Amino acid sequence: MAAKLLASALRRQTLTPKPASAASHLVRTVSTAAAMAEPFDDADGVSMKGVKIYGRPLYLDMQATSPVDPRVVDAMLPYYLSRYGNPHSRTHMYGWESDSAVETARAQVADLIGASPKEIVFTSGATECNNISVKGVMHFYKDKKRHVITTQTEHKCVLDSCRHLQQEGYDVTYLPVKSDGLIDLDGLRAAIRPDTGLVSVMAVNNEIGVIQPMEEIGEICKEFKIPFHTDAAQALGKIPIDVDKWNVSLMSLSGHKVYGPKGVGALYMRRRPRIRVEPQMNGGGQERGIRSGTVPTPLVVGFGAACEIAKKEMEYDEKRVRELQDRMLKGIREKLDMVVVNGSEEKRYPGNLNLSFGYVEGESLLMGLKEVAVSSGSACTSASLEPSYVLRALGVDEDMAHTSIRFGIGRFTTEEEIDRAVQLTVQQVKKLRELSPLYEMVKEGIDIKSIQWSQH
């Protein structure tokens, strides 16, 4: 389908003579839309960010973003090339067909989480959803509710939204997590106050992949009649989600974490009992006035298609990703000592493997792994040289927190890529440890922590 549409577009464009530069630009544009990457044939390599690269790296950073599934591209292309109407135009066919496509996508997203299509509001992504949920709920109920409960390991946009509320005079309780990354349910219960207006807990952590006990948290919130919000961007399409079983009032979702396009997300808002929010953006009143602005039909269609595919293939994907994670972890542990899995090994999404390598500096390891695209934590905070606040919340020592690498495994990851990543990681860790006098001392049986280091 995509190939036919692209060929048709090319034929239409070539009927009208254009300057050579314009024609070449069109070819490049259409090739990009078709997701046809140009071959990397520069023998001398390229320099990017001061790093010499001789080929496209293996992509193992699925928590930062996922590649768009080709079937999703197929679904989106007609709404770029021929069905380009504004879905809010009510007077002609272009608007009607776009509106119909948006509603179909709304139903596809709702179906994946066990919700009604009427409970889905399209946004630009999970960050916007989190802002609407945290600030929107508290602003709406500001006369009676002045307290929020969240965790120390939430995504930065939730934490920053909470800090924004604190500046406005609200109280926020940041629950600690246990060493496995999971919250203490008794601690949550004890933190609830009569004026608590929202509990916000991430379903699957973006840095360490642990899965919180969502049903138990939902039961506590239901008992105290407190709205429960969850950032489920990393959970959507990866673990089964049922908004009724979880008893969530609000749920933040993102397109580009589920093999869909970037720039689109969805907010689930429960209708019974109804949850109310104060809109964070004013405009034309689209999406029931909660999120004004023209709904981007191609992105929404892609998001819907990605959700439909995820529902059909979730079980297969989970099984395959788990096998690849086991293969990677076994391969690394067979050849390296002092390798620690951060977060619970049982209650976690297998596509997120966060490892710390003792006596290796994480930034040096990242720079050495030029052939593998991985990260040391959240893409939203990866520019910081500070150790991950998520790992520090787990009680991980600062030196081990600095050595963490997050490997993200997904639908299109192959066994060959895993084996190559293991080989390169082992090779680089051994190389760095050879340069580490501390590692040599530990291997000789010296207790590093007992040494009194002199200051100069």
Side-chain angles (χ1 to χ4, degrees):
M1 179 64 180
K4 291 180 180 178
L5 285 165
L6 289 166
S8 175
L10 277 171
R11 282 197 299 271
R12 287 199 301 270
Q13 292 289 342
T14 52
L15 288 175
T16 305
K18 286 184 172 65
S21 58
S24 61
H25 173 73
L26 170 68
V27 172
R28 287 197 302 271
T29 304
V30 175
S31 297
T32 303
M36 298 179 66
E38 296 179 7
F40 199 104
D41 56 3
D42 187 351
D44 297 326
V46 295
S47 291
M48 298 183 71
K49 304 287 186 180
V51 179
K52 195 76 169 180
I53 303 173
Y54 292 93
R56 294 194 68 80
L58 310 177
Y59 188 76
L60 292 177
D61 200 14
M62 294 292 176
Q63 280 67 50
T65 193
S66 60
V68 180
D69 191 298
R71 292 166 290 184
V72 171
V73 177
D74 272 343
M76 293 170 64
L77 275 172
Y79 297 92
Y80 280 118
L81 299 174
S82 57
R83 303 174 189 173
Y84 40 74
N86 186 320
H88 313 296
S89 297
R90 307 296 187 191
T91 57
H92 51 72
M93 179 181 176
Y94 287 89
W96 301 334
E97 63 187 3
S98 290
D99 178 59
S100 176
V102 167
E103 295 311 311
T104 297
R106 201 185 303 275
Q108 290 169 323
V109 174
D111 187 47
L112 183 55
I113 62 174
S116 163
K118 295 179 181 179
E119 297 175 310
I120 301 299
V121 174
F122 286 118
T123 68
S124 64
T127 291
E128 184 180 1
C129 294
N130 288 335
N131 274 263
I132 294 173
S133 299
V134 176
K135 292 188 285 190
V137 167
M138 296 310 295
H139 285 166
F140 190 89
Y141 298 103
K142 61 185 175 184
D143 293 335
K144 297 180 180 179
K145 304 296 183 180
R146 306 290 298 180
H147 178 232
V148 179
I149 298 174
T150 188
T151 74
Q152 295 176 0
T153 56
E154 291 300 298
H155 192 277
K156 195 171 187 298
C157 64
V158 170
L159 296 177
D160 281 359
S161 293
C162 288
R163 293 190 187 101
H164 180 84
L165 289 176
Q166 285 180 293
Q167 292 173 354
E168 295 180 343
Y170 292 84
D171 292 334
V172 179
T173 297
Y174 298 95
L175 294 176
V177 294
K178 296 178 286 187
S179 60
D180 60 2
L182 302 175
I183 70 166
D184 181 356
L185 294 173
D186 292 332
L188 168 61
R189 185 181 291 273
I192 293 174
R193 307 185 335 198
D195 66 340
T196 300
L198 186 71
V199 172
S200 181
V201 179
M202 186 189 295
V204 175
N205 189 272
N206 57 311
E207 289 199 29
I208 56 176
V210 297
I211 304 172
Q212 297 290 351
M214 300 303 292
E215 291 187 34
E216 290 85 347
I217 296 171
E219 281 298 319
I220 293 173
C221 292
K222 186 176 183 180
E223 177 186 339
F224 288 91
K225 298 180 180 179
I226 298 171
F228 175 28
H229 163 253
T230 183
D231 177 351
Q234 298 288 348
L236 186 69
K238 299 178 178 68
I239 65 172
I241 297 176
D242 188 314
V243 293
D244 289 327
K245 285 184 179 179
W246 288 10
N247 191 48
V248 291
S249 303
L250 302 126
M251 180 183 290
S252 302
L253 309 171
S254 177
H256 75 105
K257 302 296 173 68
V258 67
Y259 308 97
K262 298 173 182 63
V264 65
L267 175 63
Y268 162 77
M269 293 183 60
R270 183 175 289 278
R271 298 182 78 211
R272 294 186 180 87
R274 187 181 182 188
I275 184 71
R276 304 290 295 276
V277 300
E278 180 183 276
Q280 301 299 295
M281 185 183 299
N282 299 315
Q286 293 91 342
E287 296 299 284
R288 305 202 312 273
I290 294 163
R291 204 285 183 181
S292 292
T294 301
V295 173
T297 308
L299 300 183
V300 165
V301 167
F303 189 14
C307 288
E308 183 177 52
I309 293 168
K311 182 167 186 180
K312 293 177 181 176
E313 301 185 1
M314 189 189 306
E315 185 177 344
Y316 172 80
D317 282 350
E318 197 275 342
K319 179 182 177 183
R320 186 172 171 279
V321 166
R322 185 173 296 280
E323 290 173 353
L324 292 176
Q325 185 226 47
D326 292 343
R327 186 185 186 99
M328 169 167 263
L329 188 56
K330 181 181 178 183
I332 290 175
R333 280 180 162 168
E334 282 179 348
K335 298 178 176 66
L336 295 174
D337 58 355
M338 302 184 199
V339 177
V340 177
V341 177
N342 294 309
S344 170
E345 290 196 46
E346 294 79 31
K347 297 179 180 179
R348 73 183 299 130
Y349 168 61
N352 183 324
L353 184 60
N354 191 306
L355 302 177
S356 285
F357 300 87
Y359 306 99
V360 172
E361 210 285 309
E363 296 297 325
S364 299
L365 180 55
L366 273 178
M367 293 303 295
L369 291 174
K370 291 182 288 187
E371 292 184 46
V372 186
V374 290
S375 72
S376 57
S378 168
C380 301
T381 57
S382 62
S384 172
L385 293 178
E386 291 296 314
S388 163
Y389 68 87
V390 173
L391 296 184
R392 296 308 306 273
L394 268 63
V396 176
D397 290 338
E398 185 168 343
D399 55 345
M400 286 298 279
H402 268 299
T403 72
S404 70
I405 296 292
R406 183 185 66 185
F407 297 92
I409 304 167
R411 179 180 296 165
F412 303 114
T413 307
T414 65
E415 291 183 353
E416 291 76 15
E417 288 176 324
I418 293 295
D419 293 342
R420 180 61 174 159
V422 168
Q423 177 191 353
L424 292 169
T425 302
V426 170
Q427 178 182 315
Q428 190 63 22
V429 169
K430 287 183 175 180
K431 178 181 176 182
L432 291 172
R433 282 179 173 174
E434 286 176 2
L435 303 174
S436 171
L438 293 179
Y439 180 72
E440 188 176 332
M441 293 167 69
V442 169
K443 295 301 287 183
E444 291 173 357
I446 300 172
D447 184 1
I448 298 293
K449 294 184 179 180
S450 65
I451 297 176
Q452 297 293 321
W453 302 96
S454 61
Q455 295 183 354
H456 296 283

